Amino acid sequence: MTRRGVLAAATAAVAMPTLLTGSARAASTPKRGGHFVLALGHGNTADTLNPATWENQFTNCLAHAMHGRLTEIAANGDLVGEVAETWEHSSDARTWRFTLRQGLTFHNGQSVRPDDVAASLNYHRNPDVASAAQPLLKDITDLTVDADGITIRLRNGNADFPFLLADGHLVVVPSSEGKIDPNAEIGCGAYRLDRFDPGVVAQFSRYKGYWDDNRGFFDSVEIRTSVDPAGRQAALLTGEVHAIDRVPLDTFELLRQAPGVAVMEVAGTQHFTFPMQCDMAPFDDPEVRRALKCALDRQDLLTRILRGHGTVGNDSPITPANRYYNHEMPAAEYDPDRARHHLKKAGYDRLSLTLSVADAAFQGAVDAAALYRENAAAAGIDITVDRVPSDGYWTNVWRNRPWCASYWGGRTTEDSMFSEVYQSGVPWNESDWSNERFDALLLQARAETDVSTRRTLYFEMQDIVRRDGGSVIPLYANYVFARRDSVAVPAEIGSNWTLDGSRCIERWWFA
């Protein structure tokens, strides 16, 4: 067995966040106290406490506040222990043993046991559950418990396996006779859930039995759904809330200069997508998909939608923040003539399509769709923009309409992103895309421990997705969020999700 440090150093994310602040005020030493209010441009009335169903930033922040996982992505991109204190692996990376942190308790005072960890993971392995995290665990052949930990055996070696266990869905909850209550209101995180009104608010109080004195500084916390950008920003300016995500980019400079406000920005793995259902005509034809990728002026979107707060996307979910980003792929360009060429190969002179969007998908999604319509017209593609309600978007539209808008926070590792969203048949494969060569490379890369070989495999996979995949990925978007300067932050801000890796509730404090 080898120690975890070697593996963690080999697979840690290399992107470091870029932090921009306005009138920021920091405290050298964190202190406890106060009621922290966070307003998010996410949340649906259909949200639940069931970790298998979590799909937006509201449930992501809720989950990080009240729950713990075996591992955690630290602010610097390293992998650290949370419920697990240490872990070891066999030389072929097929057997992993996790030793649990001693003294952990759930919010009801019950000890966190290896049985709870095993039952929590097995819940997502159950094919009847259809969990979004199921693809991450499908290679597990055996999971056993002992007095102080669990041992997991895999069908194939996986050098990234501990990183996968930091996935937001894989929370540890209490169990009984090998089963969990997926809607349990009890976790082992820094905060205890007091109220959950889906699509409206979640309220928490600090759990005094939490194991880590270096986080969980607020006495109480409130997360509000605030989908309207103007309303969200106004609440921050008046001090009604202490932090917001999705800063309106058209007023970025004004907000940055506002007294009492600190605007923050990190470049990470977030990306915006327009997924097409590849099992439906005309998107089942790769030539149509290629035509749509050529029919969009990405630079125009970067300028007018992101206001420069990001980079042009290249139809791959792996961004420059990822370790194995393929910088050798030709950059995507707006080329109406090339789009017409692909349309003709698909048998079309003109093509009429409907694109269903709401700003719930990503900030500026409706405007982006309008620009797409203008761009595509020159290629003989007529796009009807179907503006749908934001509430219920992820239930009623995403994966239910032939073509829509979407966003992803991305993942720290290439394997996690590809396994959750691009592998054939997985629940979150938002375009229902399938490619045998891609699937074969995914399995090969997962077990490969040689860095150079692994890079080659991931480079090819990104190129396959770029050329053949079912999603137009026009933008890699920075995370732009803001806080009142009465709130202090650590010197290093996580870039794996917005709001300090979705852990601002744990990591920030009042100055």
Side-chain angles (χ1 to χ4, degrees), residues 181-200:
D181 175 4
N183 290 296
E185 298 182 0
I186 297 172
C188 61
Y191 288 89
R192 182 200 308 266
L193 181 66
D194 296 324
R195 175 192 173 195
F196 178 47
D197 189 353
V200 181

Side-chain angles (χ1 to χ4, degrees), residues 156-479:
N156 303 289
N158 189 339
D160 281 342
F161 187 66
F163 273 93
L164 303 186
L165 298 178
D167 182 83
H169 303 86
L170 300 178
V171 298
V172 178
V173 296
S175 67
S176 176
E177 298 181 352
K179 303 293 184 181
I180 67 166
D181 175 4
N183 290 296
E185 298 182 0
I186 297 172
C188 61
Y191 288 89
R192 182 200 308 266
L193 181 66
D194 296 324
R195 175 192 173 195
F196 178 47
D197 189 353
V200 181
V201 70
Q203 295 174 336
F204 308 83
S205 56
R206 187 172 72 233
Y207 177 50
K208 295 180 180 179
Y210 187 59
W211 64 274
D212 191 351
D213 291 334
N214 295 313
R215 66 176 73 193
F217 303 107
F218 302 117
D219 286 338
S220 56
V221 172
E222 184 173 316
I223 307 175
R224 298 179 184 175
T225 290
S226 181
V227 176
D228 175 54
R232 197 164 58 248
Q233 178 172 279
L236 180 71
L237 288 170
T238 62
E240 180 183 346
V241 304
H242 299 103
I244 64 172
D245 74 335
R246 290 188 170 185
V247 165
L249 299 179
D250 56 348
T251 58
F252 174 88
E253 287 299 328
L254 291 175
L255 186 63
R256 192 167 67 89
Q257 297 172 36
V261 172
V263 178
M264 310 168 70
E265 180 170 9
V266 295
T269 55
Q270 180 177 218
H271 53 279
F272 299 160
T273 72
F274 292 109
M276 305 164 267
Q277 294 299 303
C278 294
D279 58 349
M280 299 182 183
F283 305 119
D284 55 348
D285 190 327
E287 294 296 339
V288 170
R289 304 197 292 268
R290 290 166 191 151
L292 287 169
K293 292 174 182 179
C294 294
L296 178 60
D297 189 339
R298 298 150 196 263
Q299 186 60 51
D300 191 30
L301 255 62
L302 177 63
T303 301
R304 297 169 67 176
I305 302 300
L306 288 186
R307 310 279 174 145
H309 296 280
T311 56
V312 167
N314 205 15
D315 298 322
S316 164
I318 308 305
T319 79
N322 288 103
R323 186 170 191 230
Y324 296 111
Y325 171 70
N326 187 348
H327 57 277
E328 298 176 356
M329 293 191 302
E333 295 182 353
Y334 177 48
D335 190 340
D337 291 335
R338 187 70 180 171
R340 284 185 179 275
H341 166 77
H342 288 300
L343 274 187
K344 184 169 289 189
K345 289 184 70 174
Y348 296 97
D349 291 323
R350 296 194 68 86
L351 186 62
S352 296
L353 300 168
T354 297
L355 177 56
S356 300
V357 294
D359 281 337
F362 58 83
Q363 184 175 301
V366 175
D367 291 337
L371 290 174
Y372 204 159
R373 179 186 60 207
E374 294 175 11
N375 298 159
I381 302 172
D382 301 314
I383 297 176
T384 298
V385 177
D386 175 27
R387 184 170 187 174
V388 298
S390 286
D391 187 48
Y393 182 84
W394 300 106
T395 303
N396 303 322
V397 178
W398 181 67
R399 301 215 69 227
N400 286 305
R401 300 286 180 89
W403 194 24
C404 69
S406 180
Y407 81 100
W408 291 91
R411 299 294 184 268
T412 303
T413 68
E414 288 77 4
D415 180 72
S416 181
M417 190 68 223
F418 283 147
S419 297
E420 284 190 68
V421 187
Y422 290 84
Q423 188 176 6
S424 297
V426 296
W428 273 9
N429 186 328
E430 62 180 355
S431 66
D432 284 322
W433 175 69
S434 180
N435 184 289
E436 290 185 7
R437 173 64 178 168
F438 176 90
D439 289 344
L441 289 171
L442 180 62
L443 293 177
Q444 185 179 349
R446 184 179 297 157
E448 181 57 62
T449 57
D450 179 75
V451 171
S452 178
T453 303
R454 217 165 185 224
R455 178 180 293 108
T456 299
L457 297 172
Y458 282 129
F459 271 31
E460 183 180 349
M461 292 164 70
Q462 292 169 66
D463 197 51
I464 291 173
V465 172
R466 177 187 69 87
R467 291 182 290 102
D468 186 67
S471 290
V472 181
I473 305 178
L475 296 171
Y476 301 140
N478 294 350
Y479 292 118

Side-chain angles (χ1 to χ4, degrees), residues 121-158:
L121 293 177
N122 283 334
Y123 171 70
H124 296 276
R125 296 176 63 201
N126 185 341
D128 295 331
V129 171
S131 167
Q134 193 173 106
L136 305 181
L137 307 178
K138 66 184 300 182
D139 227 22
I140 295 177
T141 60
D142 186 50
L143 195 160
T144 58
V145 303
D146 54 40
D148 63 350
I150 66 170
T151 298
I152 299 174
R153 293 178 178 83
L154 307 176
R155 185 174 295 103
N156 303 289
N158 189 339

